[in-house]
Amino acid sequence: MQKEKKVSDMEIRQYVIDTGTRQTQIQKDLRAETMAMANGMMMVSPACGEFLALLAKLIGAKRTLEVGTFTGYSALSVAAALPEGGEVVACDMSEEYTAIARRYWARAGLSDKINLQLGEAVATLDRLIANGEADTFDLAFIDADKNDYDAYYERCLKLVRPGGLIVFDNMFWGRSVADADDNRPETVALRQLNIKIRDDERVDMSLIPFGDGMTFLRRR
């Protein structure tokens, strides 16, 4: 009897990239450049970028917010899905990494759709609120410093309109949130936020075992 071959996680991830996404050449080039970096794994997966773009289209998003941009793959994906006049407000601390992002956004002809805000994200979000931009975003994607996830959450609940979506990445934190013996600050912060979101009557929510765990929220 022939032994059944076990397909590895790496093989199925590559299958998803090859078969389940429609990456442009620009996206492929950006991914290749980023993955050559020591911390390239910080970049969202092609499947995540594709899914965010689909969500933006499903809800008819015109204005989106991103907390944590890195080399710009997710912003590139979402901006391409927005209609003419649409805008991604992208928040990041790094001039070095976002310089890479700017090159690819320009190459894709999407620079006019992406408003990069360099600086500490909490301060940027507070400034947006102070400027009267509450309830003006259709979708927010959060993939930045885990210790500040709760602060990002509270501010995005003000900035995203009722009926809009908030998406968190890395909510499993390498599965550490389920390890009662792991009490690193990032793990504790995410574990507490997962419980807070579960019990938060301001949102509808679902934590999905997609990638490193993604939480999808709809503001009520």
Side-chain angles (χ1 to χ4, degrees), residues 44-58:
V44 300
S45 69
C48 179
E50 196 92 357
F51 192 45
L52 289 171
L54 179 60
L55 284 177
K57 290 183 178 180
L58 283 172

Side-chain angles (χ1 to χ4, degrees), residues 59-178:
I59 65 171
K62 295 181 180 178
R63 194 165 193 239
T64 72
L65 179 63
E66 177 174 275
V67 182
T69 295
F70 193 35
T71 59
Y73 190 97
S74 52
L76 175 67
S77 301
V78 173
L82 298 182
E84 186 175 351
E87 179 187 38
V88 177
V89 176
C91 308
D92 203 274
M93 289 279 289
S94 173
E95 292 188 22
E96 176 186 359
Y97 296 141
T98 56
I100 298 171
R102 288 180 188 272
R103 283 197 282 110
Y104 285 92
W105 297 342
R107 184 176 158 192
L110 293 170
S111 296
D112 290 344
K113 281 187 174 182
I114 304 174
N115 176 6
L116 178 63
Q117 296 288 315
L118 281 173
E120 202 274 325
V122 170
T124 298
L125 299 176
D126 283 341
R127 185 170 64 251
L128 291 171
I129 293 167
N131 288 344
E133 298 183 52
D135 299 332
T136 66
F137 291 89
D138 302 296
L139 169 68
F141 176 54
I142 301 172
D143 183 15
D145 180 62
K146 311 312 170 192
N147 287 311
D148 283 334
Y149 261 31
D150 192 294
Y152 303 148
Y153 176 52
E154 289 299 330
R155 287 155 177 81
C156 285
L157 276 175
K158 295 178 180 178
L159 289 163
V160 170
R161 63 171 172 80
L165 300 179
I166 301 172
V167 181
F168 281 98
D169 198 10
N170 302 120
M171 297 303 273
F172 290 166
W173 201 227
R175 304 185 182 185
S176 65
V177 292

